[in-house]
Amino acid sequence: MTTLTVKTAPTRARKLVKASGFIRATLNKCSHVEQDGTQGATRERETVTAEFARDIAACERAIADTEATADAFDRAALVLRSGHVTLERTGPVGLACKLVRWGASDETRQALAEKLSHAAQRARQSAEKAQDRLEDNNADLAATASLGAYLAELKTAGFRKTTKTERLRKSYNAWRTAAGKVKQ
């Protein structure tokens, strides 16, 4: 389990986007070696494809977790400002409720509420930055994912052209072309 910081989501998004070209090149090499019948090439291609899918899921999860943390900070700040306790016992809201119940001074509560609001704002900006990076590079990421699907189907078809492999190849080429146009 990774500790969630304000840099987690943008870093994962940046690394994912940066690695997509290398992953496509690796998949292509694995496929060529696989066609030659080299032992272990299929496993390598499947591993690379699965790792890419896991990286995408981890990046999207980091964005969602960052947004959820920002929401929790905002709720905690609201509790501190208003003095109204909720039933939550854990997390930032639970701690804010304890401060209110224990009679923390109004000045202390307001100062903590400001810090929590600022932290929530930074977390939201971080999540937006990561989401924007993923959206800006959607075609590049989709090209990598579609290449993985195309190469898997090509192996299943015995490296022969079929209707399905042709459809997947065209899909991959369309995403690759779209990715090239976006980067220019």
Side-chain angles (χ1 to χ4, degrees):
M1 180 82 186
T2 305
T3 303
L4 184 67
T5 68
V6 74
K7 294 182 179 182
T8 302
T11 299
R12 284 194 178 167
R14 178 180 46 79
K15 286 181 178 181
L16 178 67
V17 168
K18 195 172 185 180
S20 66
F22 174 75
I23 292 169
R24 279 198 307 274
T26 303
L27 286 172
N28 276 327
K29 286 178 188 173
C30 287
S31 179
H32 288 298
V33 172
E34 191 175 18
Q35 264 182 304
D36 295 339
T38 305
Q39 188 175 7
T42 302
R43 181 190 298 261
E44 178 69 19
R45 179 187 47 77
E46 290 169 347
T47 302
V48 170
T49 303
E51 284 176 4
F52 181 70
R54 275 194 304 272
D55 288 347
I56 288 175
C59 186
E60 290 171 347
R61 191 172 45 254
I63 292 169
D65 290 349
T66 302
E67 290 170 343
T69 302
D71 291 342
F73 286 170
D74 276 340
R75 289 192 320 274
L78 182 63
V79 166
L80 290 170
R81 285 191 180 105
S82 68
H84 298 299
V85 220
T86 66
L87 297 177
E88 286 188 56
R89 300 284 183 231
T90 59
V93 177
L95 293 173
C97 290
K98 286 178 185 176
L99 278 173
V100 171
R101 275 194 299 269
W102 291 341
S105 71
D106 191 45
E107 183 179 294
T108 302
R109 288 189 350 230
Q110 295 305 319
L112 286 173
E114 276 303 312
K115 288 184 185 253
L116 282 171
S117 292
H118 179 69
Q121 179 184 12
R122 287 194 60 210
R124 275 202 184 80
Q125 289 171 348
S126 172
E128 287 173 12
K129 181 179 177 182
Q131 188 64 45
D132 288 347
R133 185 179 293 254
L134 288 182
E135 288 172 1
D136 291 347
N137 293 284
N138 183 46
D140 194 39
L141 298 174
T144 304
S146 65
L147 178 62
Y150 166 60
L151 295 177
E153 182 58 34
L154 197 59
K155 167 68 174 168
T156 304
F159 298 101
R160 292 184 314 269
K161 286 185 178 181
T162 63
T163 309
K164 191 169 184 180
T165 59
E166 277 303 300
R167 184 174 39 83
L168 288 170
R169 185 184 64 77
K170 286 179 182 178
S171 172
Y172 163 65
N173 284 332
W175 280 116
R176 192 181 68 192
T177 301
K181 288 180 181 178
V182 168
K183 289 186 178 188
Q184 290 177 358

